[in-house]
Amino acid sequence: MDFFMQYLFLTLITMIASVYVLQKRGTKTLPPGSFGWPLVGETYQFLFIKIEHFIQERVNKYSSEIFRTSILGEPTVVLCGPGANKFVSTNETKLVEVWYMKTQRRLFNIPDRTHGAKPKPKPKQEAASAAPVKSLGILKPEGIARYMGNMIESTIHQHFMTHWAGKTEVKVYPLVKAFSLTLVCQFFLGLDKPILATEFDNLHSGIYSVPVNFPGSTYRRALKAAAAIREEIQFQIKEKIDAFSKGQVVDDLLAHVVGSEQGGKYVPKMAISNIIMGLMNSSYIPIAINLAFMIKHIGQRPDIYQKIVSEHADVTKSKGSGTALDWDSMQKLKYTWAVAQETMRLYPTAPGVFREVLTDITYEGYTIPKGWKIFWALVGTNKNPNYFPEPESFDPSRFEGNNFPAPYTWIPFGAGPRSCPGKDYVRFVVLSFIHVLVSKFKWEAILPDEKVSGVLIPTPTEGIPIRLHPH
């Protein structure tokens, strides 16, 4: 208890001193807001109130798209809106740089950083970098189509044959989760069957959790899950090396990274496993959520269903029946992708990212001090009626032709040099899945008013049951 009181006292003194020093600088003013309770700040509200509500309450209160708070023990400024999106994305590495929460650092073995200090340089052979993954052509549109196009469509057909054929009703969300994990394991690891489903679920849940490591906690389960996944990827790395030694050809992403390493671009195996685990995590649940809610809304709107069916029939006619979609075909599915984008707007899976301030920043007349954190709210515009009229309605026409949102008003994959490297993978998988689905079934949503749970990640409470009508 004495230690707690001392820690509380020191925290209060530090916060008061930082505000006093900043105010003594003259014209510089902190953004409006509150640091909340001592020690905990507004962490509870951030983690356990829907992120849109957390942001909108404070935007309304302070009449500003910039406000200060305290999250996870860090003085933090929340930025949202088109101006903020442009400001952060165009100032990466100049004024701000990526910062990871403690949960992310521990789960993915990311080195600790303090107050903008660069991590100590590591020997060249130990440096961990995602650059070899990003530079691989397999993650580019043409690479996905070339290496994985047939595999993705084959997996989709097998999925429908196993889980949908002969059924009159199915619950979409658990099925598309199973499909997404199957595809992730094939695409990234070259495995025919999904593995570690519970572990990937626990890992995903643990990222936005309170980093308290005690039995039964979400964070403890995530730590165990990360260790198990990392161990499996390490095993798969050995398998790839063995396959190369025997002259075998393998085309999954892990094999390409290992092959790059063997070609002289050294990346330590632990770094490879962390990178691959991160990519698998970010590709698994988000695709399942997007597909599930997309299928629900198509099943509620015959007008949307008919337009999608017509568009896919035209593509099938031009490419030939039985031929997998290529990237040129994807470009013709403009309306289907507009439906996917509207789904992402209403059900975002990436609420925002953190950045650390490298030097005192002046933004909108306020000063953001060096060393503070920025929560860049990627969803800050999604349901703002200033940018999306009638924001709660499902209207794919927002993303068609001249109606497309103005720059920086909608950025589901981020923006700038650190935008999501898997955005083309997401597009390819989602469009391929819907392409096969509409060729096999017509469907209708059984619970159009089904509740959506989840604070940071939307989850359908009943799994999105639909009624199937095979063609």
Side-chain angles (χ1 to χ4, degrees):
M1 188 64 180
D2 289 342
F3 172 78
F4 174 78
M5 293 304 295
Q6 291 176 18
Y7 183 66
L8 175 61
F9 177 74
L10 289 174
T11 301
L12 286 171
I13 291 298
T14 301
M15 292 178 67
I16 293 170
S18 64
V19 174
Y20 175 78
V21 169
L22 188 63
Q23 290 176 339
K24 293 292 285 184
R25 291 182 180 179
T27 59
K28 297 181 179 179
T29 307
L30 285 175
S34 169
F35 288 121
W37 290 94
L39 293 183
V40 297
E42 294 188 311
T43 300
Y44 176 84
Q45 294 92 323
F46 178 77
L47 292 178
F48 299 107
I49 296 176
K50 283 196 173 184
I51 188 66
E52 293 101 331
H53 297 166
F54 174 84
I55 294 170
Q56 197 57 50
E57 285 177 1
R58 287 153 183 77
V59 168
N60 292 341
K61 182 176 182 179
Y62 304 117
S63 300
S64 172
E65 292 185 337
I66 172 175
F67 59 87
R68 76 175 185 270
T69 181
S70 176
I71 301 173
L72 302 169
E74 299 283 350
T76 303
V77 170
V78 176
L79 293 179
C80 54
N85 294 338
K86 181 177 182 179
F87 178 80
V88 177
S89 63
T90 56
N91 284 290
E92 293 274 13
T93 73
K94 293 181 289 186
L95 300 179
V96 300
E97 63 183 355
V98 67
W99 181 80
Y100 297 102
M101 298 178 294
K102 181 179 179 180
T103 50
Q104 293 171 301
R105 297 196 302 271
R106 295 294 180 268
L107 293 173
F108 297 98
N109 281 345
I110 300 170
D112 285 335
R113 301 263 305 281
T114 55
H115 302 297
K118 298 289 183 182
K120 294 180 180 180
K122 295 182 178 182
K124 183 177 180 180
Q125 68 272 20
E126 295 181 5
S129 172
V133 174
K134 293 180 179 179
S135 66
L136 291 172
I138 194 172
L139 277 182
K140 297 177 181 178
E142 61 275 13
I144 296 171
R146 175 185 174 189
Y147 292 109
M148 298 296 169
N150 289 324
M151 181 272 286
I152 289 173
E153 189 147 322
S154 174
T155 301
I156 294 170
H157 280 290
Q158 183 61 46
H159 169 78
F160 283 121
M161 185 182 302
T162 303
H163 300 289
W164 297 57
K167 306 285 180 64
T168 57
E169 292 184 7
V170 296
K171 287 192 173 185
V172 174
Y173 185 55
L175 290 183
V176 292
K177 272 185 66 181
F179 159 74
S180 183
L181 183 59
T182 298
L183 195 60
V184 160
C185 290
Q186 288 182 323
F187 185 82
F188 291 96
L189 301 180
L191 300 178
D192 292 331
K193 295 182 179 180
I195 59 170
L196 301 172
T198 300
E199 284 74 11
F200 274 106
D201 285 344
N202 288 339
L203 173 65
H204 196 270
S205 299
I207 293 175
Y208 284 99
S209 67
V210 178
V212 178
N213 187 5
F214 61 82
S217 69
T218 300
Y219 182 56
R220 167 72 69 89
R221 289 194 295 270
L223 286 172
K224 289 184 176 180
I229 295 169
R230 193 176 290 109
E231 182 179 356
E232 176 62 32
I233 296 174
Q234 291 276 305
F235 174 77
Q236 293 302 323
I237 291 173
K238 294 178 182 178
E239 292 287 292
K240 307 304 176 190
I241 293 174
D242 184 57
F244 283 131
S245 69
K246 296 177 182 178
Q248 298 175 3
V249 177
V250 281
D251 272 340
D252 55 86
L253 184 67
L254 180 60
H256 280 256
V257 176
V258 172
S260 177
E261 175 198 344
Q262 293 200 327
K265 300 176 181 178
Y266 183 82
V267 183
K269 294 177 177 58
M270 182 58 72
I272 292 175
S273 62
N274 290 328
I275 293 166
I276 295 295
M277 182 169 66
L279 289 171
M280 292 178 73
N281 172 73
S282 62
S283 301
Y284 165 42
I285 295 293
I287 284 180
I289 290 173
N290 187 246
L291 279 174
F293 284 109
M294 189 176 175
I295 291 168
K296 175 187 175 181
H297 281 280
I298 295 172
Q300 292 177 201
R301 294 277 299 276
D303 58 322
I304 293 176
Y305 173 80
Q306 289 300 330
K307 290 182 71 172
I308 287 179
V309 168
S310 176
E311 184 175 69
H312 285 262
D314 290 342
V315 168
T316 297
K317 184 177 180 181
S318 64
K319 74 178 180 64
S321 179
T323 305
L325 290 177
D326 55 23
W327 197 250
D328 288 337
S329 299
M330 295 287 173
Q331 309 316 303
K332 298 175 183 178
L333 297 174
K334 296 182 185 299
Y335 183 74
T336 308
W337 186 237
V339 175
Q341 290 172 301
E342 177 69 344
T343 305
M344 294 178 201
R345 183 189 69 81
L346 278 175
Y347 308 98
T349 58
V353 291
F354 283 96
R355 295 292 183 261
E356 185 169 38
V357 179
L358 298 176
T359 184
D360 282 6
I361 293 174
T362 299
Y363 179 78
E364 296 292 319
Y366 300 108
T367 294
I368 309 175
K370 176 181 178 180
W372 279 33
K373 306 305 180 287
I374 287 175
F375 180 71
W376 179 15
L378 304 180
V379 300
T381 56
N382 285 25
K383 295 182 181 179
N384 189 322
N386 294 325
Y387 312 120
F388 297 99
E390 299 183 24
E392 295 296 335
S393 67
F394 190 85
D395 182 8
S397 69
R398 303 179 200 273
F399 296 93
E400 288 189 287
N402 295 331
N403 293 332
F404 200 87
Y408 296 104
T409 57
W410 186 77
I411 50 171
F413 301 106
R418 293 193 64 86
S419 59
C420 176
K423 58 185 177 182
D424 294 319
Y425 172 81
V426 172
R427 184 172 185 173
F428 203 99
V429 173
V430 167
L431 294 181
S432 295
F433 192 94
I434 298 299
H435 181 68
V436 178
L437 175 60
V438 297
S439 72
K440 295 180 179 291
F441 302 99
K442 184 177 181 180
W443 66 95
E444 58 195 45
I446 295 175
L447 298 174
D449 297 322
E450 179 178 352
K451 292 183 179 180
V452 179
S453 64
V455 176
L456 293 165
I457 306 298
T459 305
T461 56
E462 303 298 328
I464 306 185
I466 62 171
R467 188 170 290 110
L468 293 174
H469 304 283
H471 292 317

